[in-house]
Amino acid sequence: KQEVTQIPAALSVPEGENLVLNCSFTDSAIYNLQWFRQDPGKGLTSLLLIQSSQREQTSGRLNASLDKSSGRSTLYIAASQPGDSATYLCAVSRGNTPLVFGKGTRLSVIA
Amino acid sequence: KAGVTQTPRYLIKTRGQQVTLSCSPISGHRSVSWYQQTPGQGLQFLFEYFSETQRNKGNFPGRFSGRQFSNSRSEMNVSTLELGDSALYLCASSFSASGANEQFFGPGTRLTVL
């Protein structure tokens, strides 16, 4: 059974700092991995999708990497801003199965 | 392009009642998945519908059911509500199989059971 873990559960950083969020999964036979952002009480916003054949994806100040063999992904946020404060979730899928989510990392960027 | 819409956004019900939630996917998307989110359990998969057929089902009791219409809109129903059903219910749409393509989520329906 696939399990997804995100560490740390919460993170507080000063504005402008570069930071890394971690995601690990137990079954490396994944089809893709997706990073989401969730603001309090709101739905999920898709940030990046990495197919299993890819090593990384970039969007603006965000860069996500994937190492299937070690069961790990990282989300790198450059030059953090207070508007980046949210919960970040990663989720994996085998392709014909639903997404399995981690419990998220709650990020606070302090001005 | 309009995003995923969910109605209603908020619901308050009492134990024993039933509730129906609605989800309209992004135009052209044929897969709709439903998730329950609670502080303790996180996001848990309920079921997925594709072309009006249930493709996958999570580990929830039979009180939770769903359906999908020919226009890809989906509804989920919860009968005999329990206090523990209080949660944020999220639906997501994707072009084809939920796990094969990028999923896009709606804003959710906040259900409170009193």
Side-chain angles (χ1 to χ4, degrees), chain A residues 81-95:
Chain A
Q81 303 169 358
D84 294 330
S85 298
T87 296
Y88 290 80
L89 297 136
C90 74
V92 298
S93 170
R94 293 182 64 121

Side-chain angles (χ1 to χ4, degrees), chain A:
Chain A
K1 179 190 171 188
Q2 177 74 270
E3 292 183 2
V4 179
T5 303
Q6 292 186 249
I7 294 174
L11 180 65
S12 183
V13 300
E15 181 178 6
E17 192 162 297
N18 302 326
L19 60 100
V20 174
L21 306 181
N22 297 295
C23 171
S24 61
F25 45 94
T26 54
D27 184 353
S28 63
I30 65 168
Y31 187 83
N32 60 42
L33 182 146
Q34 199 167 351
W35 281 93
F36 296 90
R37 166 191 173 136
Q38 185 175 33
D39 293 288
K42 302 291 180 62
L44 277 62
T45 299
S46 177
L47 297 174
L48 291 163
L49 171 72
I50 310 178
Q51 302 288 357
S52 61
S53 58
Q54 298 174 316
R55 296 283 299 196
E56 64 179 312
Q57 281 282 5
T58 298
S59 176
R61 294 183 294 109
L62 305 179
N63 176 276
S65 67
L66 174 63
D67 184 343
K68 267 183 54 175
S69 61
S70 67
R72 293 184 184 183
S73 175
T74 61
L75 179 66
Y76 174 85
I77 302 177
S80 58
Q81 303 169 358
D84 294 330
S85 298
T87 296
Y88 290 80
L89 297 136
C90 74
V92 298
S93 170
R94 293 182 64 121
N96 59 348
T97 58
L99 292 176
V100 177
F101 284 85
K103 296 209 171 176
T105 294
R106 188 171 66 254
L107 173 65
S108 296
V109 180
I110 311 301

Side-chain angles (χ1 to χ4, degrees), chain A residues 95-97, chain B residues 30-31 45 47-57 95-99:
Chain A
N96 59 348
T97 58
Chain B
R30 297 162 64 192
S31 170
F45 171 74
F47 27 65
E48 177 199 0
Y49 287 87
F50 181 82
S51 293
E52 301 179 67
T53 301
Q54 187 178 87
R55 189 203 295 258
N56 284 299
K57 187 177 190 307
F95 180 71
S96 60
S98 65

